[in-house]
Amino acid sequence: MDFHSLMRSLILFVLLLCISDSESMKTLKNLAVKRGGSLSIPCFYDEKYKSNIKYWCKGEYWSSCEIVAYTDTSGRTSVTDHPTQNMFTVELKSLQDSDSGYYWCAVEIGGTETPDDRDYLYLTVSADPAVSVINSRVSGQEGGSVSVQCLYSAEHQKQWKKWCRFTDWSCYKVGRTDTSQNSAVLVNDDWRGSINVEMRGLQKSDAGWYWFKAGDVGVTVHLTVTEKPSSSTPVSRNKETTTAELTTNPPAVTASENEHGTSKSGKMQDNRRSDPPAVTAFEKGHDTNNSEKNQDNNGSTVLIWVLLAVGLGLLLFLTIIITCMLRKKCNGNQTETRGRVNNTSVDTTPMTESSVIHSTVIHKNKKLSQSVGDDEVIYSSVVLK
């Protein structure tokens, strides 16, 4: 390659870079949607094109693409401009397989020498898309959290999955990413065709367009962040003021009222003394609920004390019965022992020398008594000395 050919190639490369830098339009390159479904596509343009006409064009080549819809058109395909966000959205409804192909987001510049600003994408419509989401539009409360369930096909199981944001074109991979002090994005992959994206600590700046992609195929999601409701509800002027408002927030006195401050203050004091502050229906209901709760608590307390007293009474009664039974048993044993001792007592009355005790032995066995003769009878006598 000679020097002149090298210079021509270098000049052509620089021209291509300049042309590509002049095109500010940005959108996704590869989108998928389920047959019969709908899809919203955001197209971002440079701020200097806010007042220009935007349109949606179909065709593989820019020179031969066919314009499908302009800004502020309605129907199956509609284009809506959002100048404050430097973007327009294309709404596609009831998509069929024949709607697959190349499309162009474009801004009309107006001039033969300057081509319109544009960017292309490829749309695939099928019964089983490579990626999809359960809800393409989600909303959450400021300070709260929101979850988006994304699905992918088996062929994308081992490819990178990302959750990306259009505002700064930043992406979050599987895992936890802390976006600020109290905000975080958690991307959890179950490796079975489903990914759950959870955004915590939502802020107003988190609202906008996102997309989920697996490999090089993506699907868009729009997030709306609503304001957190205030804890205190403003009170209408027509409503009666409560006791707390009268005691803590006295009414303001104007300059004209200051001239007659003494008389009015006296009247206000008289009114406050004579007319007690009105109680609102909310306070009445609140007091009624509190009294009912107190009655329930008192009834429960009384019932507990009654059951406790009955239990202690039964325990005391059983203790007395057992004690009496033991005492009766001990008294019976002592009486029986005394009777036995009395029956076995020995008569210690002294006997005289003339007192003689004779004992006779009688044989119950008749055979033995017959065999013993009269001369074999033995007499015994006991003499006390």
Side-chain angles (χ1 to χ4, degrees), residues 128-131 152-159 161 214-217:
D128 187 16
V131 293
Y152 59 87
S153 61
E155 62 186 23
H156 292 85
Q157 183 175 5
K158 297 182 179 180
Q159 296 182 352
K161 293 91 175 177
D216 60 346
V217 186

Side-chain angles (χ1 to χ4, degrees), residues 146 148 163 172-178 183-188 195-200:
V146 67
V148 181
W163 174 255
Y172 308 97
K173 298 179 181 180
V174 175
R176 176 190 175 97
T177 303
D178 295 326
S183 302
V185 177
L186 284 77
V187 182
N188 183 25
I195 278 186
N196 184 66
V197 179
E198 183 180 2
M199 300 181 66
R200 299 178 180 176

